[in-house]
Amino acid sequence: MQSFAFNTVARLVSGSGEALKLAEHCASLGVQNALLVTDPGLVAIGLIAPVQDALCAAGVEVCLFPKVSEDPPEAVVFAAVDAGKAAGVDGVIAVGGGSSMDVAKVAAALLCSDQPLSDMYGVEQLSGGRLPLILVPTTAGTGSEVTPVAIVTTGETTKAGVSSAVLLPDIAVLDADLTLGLPSHITAMTGVDAMVHAIEAYTSKIKKNPVSDNLARSALALLANNIRTAVHDGRQRDARAAMLLGAMQAGQAFANAPVGAVHALAYPLGGHFHIPHGLSNSLVLPEVMRFNLPMATGLYAELAEIVVGSSVSGSEEARAETLIVAIEELIDDLSMPATLSAAGVGEESLETLAEDAMLQQRLLINNPREVSYDDALGIYRASF
Ligand SMILES: NC(=O)c1ccc[n+]([C@@H]2O[C@H](COP(=O)([O-])OP(=O)(O)OC[C@H]3O[C@@H](n4cnc5c(N)ncnc54)[C@H](O)[C@@H]3O)[C@@H](O)[C@H]2O)c1
Ligand SMILES: [Fe+2]
């Protein structure tokens, strides 16, 4: 067996009501004054007040930073750091989706070091430590609560990632109660993002390993079996809990066996057209899989049994093709736009998108099949 390394979060807590017990985790980490990072939508629907009240009732001081925007720009990170500094916080908590968790991760590092953010981008560039960090996801999508990555919007059309083991939190808390009111279209998009994490981790070219494989398979089973219920009947707590567990496991998988061409081709869609991350992935997923098929037939055939069930039959090629068709049917069932044109992308942009996708070499090297500019353009055209 090839040698491999696997890293994940030191402590994971899962259960109904766990988000109201964060004070216990603050005590275990010695946090008395916490920066609570979240977004204004979550405050408006009343999701944050009970968490904040429970912390305060237990004697933890809270500096609320409720200003995270989707695809957060650097300015939001700096504002969170300023708020934390002014309040003299000694720990950081995020309650929110990937956007809030990513801001909290970078803020926890910046609050503890003089290193400029611009020097932190890339892989293992962080030179300092971070404040104690607790992450509580409210979407079942990014898996950011268990990844060493934070994504920040750096320009008009560009995003950059800070990837460092320092950004793995001390504690990740999964509480499906927080996700019961997640609107169905966000449930669909973020859920497909998590499925893509599992699929791309399973076919990741360089770093896939027996542990990431098991997590990817388990994640995909949980996500595929529960996403329709979570989208169409979101108050079903068991389906929500399964989605949260699946998204977290997919996060553990791709944190160690990184994602490939689906994400590489999705990022320019977010940058140029502000299409949400999960939808961007879903728009190119079937055609990237068709492109990858010759190099990933066996792996896709294995995943077909998880997504479609034991009824899947025929040759390896036929079973792999069944997986792609099942994914297309799922996207249709979830009422997501299925083509780039339906999502508002103009045909004249496809060349620019392909050029930008080629800049994502950090991701493309993990893809099971090499992707050239012409290949990327072909995939966008086929997805149009
Ligand atoms: N760090 C990583 O490993 C990683 C991986 C993939 C993506 N990302 C990044 O994460 C971000 C996307 O995160 P996301 O998809 O979780 O979405 P998000 O955090 O941007 O939130 C999307 C919307 O959903 C709303 N929302 C979230 N939870 C809710 C709930 N429980 N009830 C009602 N509304 C709710 C928010 O208010 C927001 O309007 C992007 O910036 C992406 O680049 C990070
Ligand atoms: Fe993703």
Side-chain angles (χ1 to χ4, degrees):
M1 189 190 297
Q2 246 188 320
S3 42
F4 69 93
F6 186 88
N7 295 300
T8 193
V9 66
R11 186 165 164 77
L12 179 77
V13 178
S14 173
S16 173
E18 284 296 334
L20 302 177
K21 300 180 194 161
L22 297 183
E24 291 172 19
H25 305 310
C26 287
S28 75
L29 297 170
V31 174
Q32 294 172 328
N33 184 1
L35 179 67
L36 177 53
V37 179
T38 188
D39 74 52
L42 297 181
V43 175
I45 61 171
L47 209 67
I48 302 303
V51 177
Q52 185 176 357
D53 291 350
L55 281 163
C56 294
V60 179
E61 267 188 78
V62 174
C63 167
L64 181 66
F65 180 78
K67 295 182 187 158
V68 175
S69 49
E70 290 178 28
D71 302 309
E74 289 183 326
V76 167
V77 175
F78 296 137
V81 172
D82 288 346
K85 272 192 186 144
V89 298
D90 56 9
V92 180
I93 301 171
V95 179
S99 298
S100 296
M101 290 191 282
D102 286 4
V103 169
K105 285 160 114 169
V106 183
L110 286 168
L111 279 164
C112 206
S113 137
D114 293 329
Q115 189 183 10
L117 175 55
S118 53
D119 289 354
M120 291 182 172
Y121 294 117
V123 179
E124 298 302 343
Q125 299 299 314
L126 251 71
S127 53
R130 60 157 171 74
L131 288 184
L133 179 63
I134 302 172
L135 300 178
V136 188
T138 63
T139 58
T142 67
S144 179
E145 68 277 12
V146 290
T147 75
V149 180
I151 310 284
V152 180
T153 300
T154 47
E156 273 297 300
T157 60
T158 49
K159 281 186 168 192
V162 180
S163 177
S164 164
V166 172
L167 295 189
L168 279 168
D170 295 293
I171 306 177
V173 177
L174 305 184
D175 184 345
D177 294 1
L178 297 177
T179 67
L180 292 175
L182 188 65
S184 62
H185 68 287
I186 303 179
T187 305
M189 294 188 291
T190 50
V192 171
D193 182 30
M195 291 178 72
V196 174
H197 295 157
I199 294 168
E200 293 213 283
Y202 201 63
T203 57
S204 195
K205 193 171 172 180
I206 306 165
K207 291 189 178 165
K208 95 187 222 89
N209 62 69
V211 180
S212 67
D213 281 352
N214 261 335
L215 287 161
R217 292 171 63 93
S218 165
L220 197 59
L222 287 163
L223 296 163
N225 288 332
N226 290 282
I227 191 167
R228 285 179 173 84
T229 306
V231 167
H232 297 303
D233 191 5
R235 306 301 300 181
Q236 295 273 356
R237 194 184 303 260
D238 288 349
R240 291 295 197 179
M243 291 297 292
L244 206 51
L245 188 60
M248 185 279 295
Q249 291 184 342
Q252 289 183 317
F254 93 87
N256 292 277
V259 292
V262 179
H263 275 73
L265 271 73
Y267 277 129
L269 292 169
H272 288 279
F273 294 97
H274 300 289
I275 297 175
H277 176 73
L279 176 56
S280 304
N281 276 313
S282 144
L283 288 168
V284 293
L285 174 62
E287 292 306 330
V288 171
M289 290 179 76
R290 285 213 166 83
F291 172 79
N292 284 345
L293 198 57
M295 307 301 284
T297 316
L299 296 175
Y300 285 165
E302 286 169 25
L303 294 184
E305 282 162 36
I306 293 171
V307 172
V308 183
S310 53
S311 64
V312 69
S313 61
S315 65
E316 220 172 47
E317 286 77 11
R319 281 179 281 142
E321 181 62 35
T322 306
L323 174 67
I324 301 174
V325 172
I327 297 280
E328 286 174 321
E329 284 169 2
L330 176 67
I331 291 168
D332 192 46
D333 284 354
L334 300 179
S335 308
M336 296 169 78
T339 60
L340 292 175
S341 51
V345 176
E347 196 164 10
E348 68 288 351
S349 336
L350 300 187
E351 275 104 356
T352 310
L353 291 171
E355 279 162 23
D356 278 14
M358 294 316 289
L359 301 177
Q360 300 286 339
Q361 288 302 322
R362 174 182 73 91
L363 302 176
L364 289 173
I365 54 164
N366 305 308
N367 200 58
R369 183 173 171 190
E370 206 171 312
V371 183
S372 68
Y373 167 83
D374 287 339
D375 296 330
L377 185 57
I379 293 168
Y380 282 128
R381 287 213 170 108
S383 309
F384 189 74

